[in-house]
Amino acid sequence: MRIDGSGTLRASCVLCPNPGPMTLEGTNTWILREPGARGVVVVDPGPHDERHLERVARTVQEQGAQVQMTVVTHRHPDHSEGARYFAELTGAPVHAVDPQVRVGGRGLSDGDTLEADGLVVTVVATPGHTDDSVCLLVGSDNAILTGDTILGHGTTVIDGDDGLGAYMDSLYRLRDIVRERGVRTLLPGHGPILTSPAETLDTYITHRESRLAQVLDAVNTGATQVDEVVDRVYPEVDEQIRFAAASSVRAQLRYLASRGELPAGIEE
């Protein structure tokens, strides 16, 4: 399963060496460039790992190209922490939804178009994993960069107790875009590229709906605390990522409550 160097005609991955339970094989930094063009867009520079950031900059230079802008898909440090150092290396602005992540750049809104030497990238707002999460559509490649909204394997964590409703809406929207635009490839923030986008979105949606049913069943059979629901729904969860399972349960409980499906007296 090759990740480093994988991609499409216009996208190439530089894998950051920061593997872990939450980052999988590491953070995927994406270099986007129209074939033969000089201007480059870099997506998700990664954590503050100087060797990785210098490798990304060097890779662009070796292609005879230049970074025109950097885009961050969301605020988490494994995607954004290296943005300031990378801006110093390249002189290019960093665009992001979260103003705390930007470096001389601007905000990102749904439908925004980013252009670099013939390359056209469209911003798709996909809140849920975080409230500032975006995906990036590269229409000429029939590809979407998904950040942490969709991972190369496994499922993503919902950051915030109110995020699941937004996340489900984002999944449904991405599935519609995949079908309408003929998207053939998903380029995630972690893990290998995905070449069956519609199937992947269907799997994500089915998984979430199944988990909601399991959480509701756990509640209906006596679980009243988040930890009790985790024990029943995620019985084999690794202790290293139990906090992530608890976060997901809280989001699921809040979502069920918003739909009026949660009995009274349940801890959210």
Side-chain angles (χ1 to χ4, degrees), residues 58-261:
R58 185 170 62 250
T59 299
V60 172
Q61 291 176 340
E62 290 171 351
Q63 294 174 354
Q66 182 177 11
V67 180
Q68 289 193 0
M69 70 182 77
T70 298
V71 179
V72 174
T73 61
H74 64 291
R75 67 172 70 90
H76 283 164
D78 57 314
H79 293 256
S80 68
E81 188 182 48
R84 185 164 299 279
Y85 183 69
F86 193 67
E88 294 172 359
L89 285 176
T90 63
V94 179
H95 305 316
V97 172
D98 188 337
Q100 299 300 314
V101 176
R102 300 172 204 159
V103 183
R106 62 179 179 83
L108 301 173
S109 298
D110 187 54
D112 282 355
T113 298
L114 307 173
E115 299 186 30
D117 206 0
L119 178 75
V120 178
V121 178
T122 304
V123 177
V124 181
T126 52
H129 172 67
T130 59
D131 58 11
D132 68 325
S133 288
V134 297
C135 292
L136 303 170
L137 172 66
V138 184
S140 51
D141 252 1
N142 296 312
I144 297 176
L145 285 82
T146 60
D148 282 3
T149 299
I150 300 290
L151 303 178
H153 53 85
T155 55
T156 198
V157 172
I158 307 302
D159 183 16
D161 295 349
D162 295 317
L164 185 55
Y167 185 66
M168 294 301 292
D169 289 343
S170 293
L171 293 181
Y172 294 133
R173 185 179 182 206
L174 283 174
R175 184 169 65 178
D176 288 344
I177 292 172
V178 163
R179 291 170 174 170
E180 292 166 5
R181 298 295 297 267
V183 173
R184 295 194 298 263
T185 311
L186 301 179
L187 306 174
H190 303 281
I193 65 174
L194 299 162
T195 55
S196 300
E199 180 181 330
T200 297
L201 267 300
D202 284 341
T203 299
Y204 259 66
I205 290 167
T206 299
H207 170 78
R208 288 290 169 181
E209 291 174 344
S210 174
R211 283 296 194 207
L212 282 166
Q214 290 175 313
V215 168
L216 189 57
D217 182 65
V219 168
N220 287 335
T221 55
T224 61
Q225 305 291 319
V226 168
D227 280 343
E228 293 173 351
V229 177
V230 171
D231 288 339
R232 298 190 189 197
V233 177
Y234 302 94
E236 298 178 0
V237 68
D238 190 308
E239 283 301 315
Q240 282 188 292
I241 58 173
R242 185 180 176 88
F243 74 93
S247 176
S248 288
V249 165
R250 281 191 292 270
Q252 289 161 335
L253 291 172
R254 189 66 62 87
Y255 181 60
L256 290 168
S258 73
R259 300 199 311 193
E261 298 180 28

